[in-house]
Every structure is written in C-alpha cells, then in structure tokens.
Amino acid sequence: MELELIKKSILEIRGKKVMLDMDLAKIYEVETRALKQAVRRNLDRFPEDFMFQLTKEEWSNLTSQFVISSWGGHRHPPFAFTEQGVAMMSSLLKSKKAIQMNIAIMRAFVKIRQWALTYQELSDKLSDLEKLHNQKFNDIDQVLKYLLQKDYSSKQQANRENLGYKK
C-alpha cells in the first residue's frame, strides 16, 4: 500500500520525476511547514538538481489538473524534490517513520526507472527487428501501445476518489 501511495505522489515536472513537499510531509507524518522549515535551515544541502520551488504558473497548472482547492492552504508554491533531494531529506528527518518511508520512496523511484528501461529496451529491440527485416511490425507496435494505455488507464482509475460511504 505504501508503495502505491508513493508512486501516485511522484510527478514529472520540468522533465524530472519529483515529489512535492506536501506529499512528502504526509508520507513522513510531519507537518508541511516543519518539513519546509528543516529544508530552509539546510538550503546548502539542496542544490537545484535536488530541489526546486515551483513557479506560480506550474503550481496553478497542477492545482487545475488535480482540482485542488484554491482557497486556504498554500501561500507559496511548493518545493519539488528529485530522487536525490528525497535521499538528502533522510539526513534531516531522523524519526523511525521517516527512515522507513525514505527507504520505500527510494524503492519506488527505482521501480519506475526499471519500468522505463524495460519499455525502452523493448522499443529498441523492436526497432532493430524492423531494420533487420526491412518492415514495420504493426501488430507488436499496437500491442505495446495497448499495454501502455491499459497501464495508464488503470492508474487513472486507481487515482479516482471513491464515492459513497467510506469506512
């Protein structure tokens, strides 16, 4: 369950896989302001390839995509942490929960990277076969596209909020 929650929290912003400060705070079970305060006190540990603050446009775009309420909550756009930034966070947050969750987050990033590599390897092999046989394998191409679309659809379905009674 933790892994699924973490995978849902990983976004792609500026071409990088990142997690937002509010999601990390929820996972680490600390307040967002406490997490941000710890980061601000240690800014030298977080160069731009470890962490960056979203622009107002990026934040506005995200809030409209995820239908996040515009009233209350955030006065400033959130911080986005790359995989290295999340790893660096472990040196700031020392609780047992933070350590356990940091390990789970690292595993989620690795799984995403492995999946991307596997797909790329399949795509490369298909391209090599097409060149070798001088023809396009439309059936295989369609199957790969179907599998990717199916995976995307199932993720979208899992992200939907349940309606009705909640236990």
Side-chain angles (χ1 to χ4, degrees):
M1 181 61 188
E2 289 175 349
L3 191 58
E4 285 303 313
L5 173 67
I6 293 167
K7 283 178 16 182
K8 288 179 188 177
S9 300
I10 297 174
L11 307 170
E12 185 164 337
I13 301 172
R14 299 183 193 174
K16 297 177 182 180
K17 300 281 187 210
V18 298
M19 293 183 75
L20 299 180
D21 55 18
M22 67 196 86
D23 294 327
L24 282 170
K26 189 183 304 179
I27 290 168
Y28 289 141
E29 295 179 358
V30 298
E31 290 183 33
T32 304
R33 83 177 163 76
L35 185 137
K36 287 179 120 174
Q37 187 177 47
V39 169
R40 284 191 180 105
R41 288 181 178 164
N42 295 280
L43 276 178
D44 54 324
R45 293 178 181 242
F46 295 94
E48 196 167 305
D49 57 327
F50 283 29
M51 178 205 72
F52 55 88
Q53 189 166 22
L54 271 59
T55 64
K56 289 186 188 284
E57 296 82 28
E58 289 168 333
W59 180 230
S60 174
N61 198 12
L62 271 181
T63 54
S64 65
Q65 281 181 16
F66 295 116
V67 193
I68 297 171
S69 172
S70 61
W71 58 274
H74 301 279
R75 293 183 184 161
H76 305 287
F79 291 139
F81 295 88
T82 64
E83 184 176 354
Q84 294 89 346
V86 172
M88 184 59 73
M89 185 70 64
S90 68
S91 68
L92 300 182
L93 303 175
K94 302 281 188 188
S95 73
K96 283 189 179 219
K97 179 68 175 183
I99 292 167
Q100 291 171 341
M101 295 313 297
N102 210 42
I103 291 168
I105 291 168
M106 291 298 109
R107 288 180 176 151
F109 273 108
V110 168
K111 280 191 181 224
I112 289 171
R113 194 168 37 253
Q114 286 172 341
W115 182 85
L117 287 173
T118 301
Y119 174 71
Q120 186 60 47
E121 288 170 1
L122 283 174
S123 181
D124 291 346
K125 286 179 182 178
L126 180 60
S127 293
D128 291 344
L129 282 172
E130 288 173 349
K131 288 176 187 172
L132 180 67
H133 295 287
N134 236 359
Q135 66 182 27
K136 185 115 173 112
F137 298 115
N138 290 329
D139 293 342
I140 297 172
D141 197 40
Q142 286 176 345
V143 168
L144 285 173
K145 285 180 183 173
Y146 171 77
L147 289 172
L148 283 174
Q149 185 61 35
K150 182 180 171 190
D151 186 48
Y152 176 77
S153 296
S154 66
K155 285 181 184 175
Q156 292 295 93
Q157 188 70 16
N159 289 340
R160 291 180 55 211
E161 185 176 339
N162 293 333
L163 297 177
Y165 294 106
K166 295 181 181 178
K167 293 183 179 181

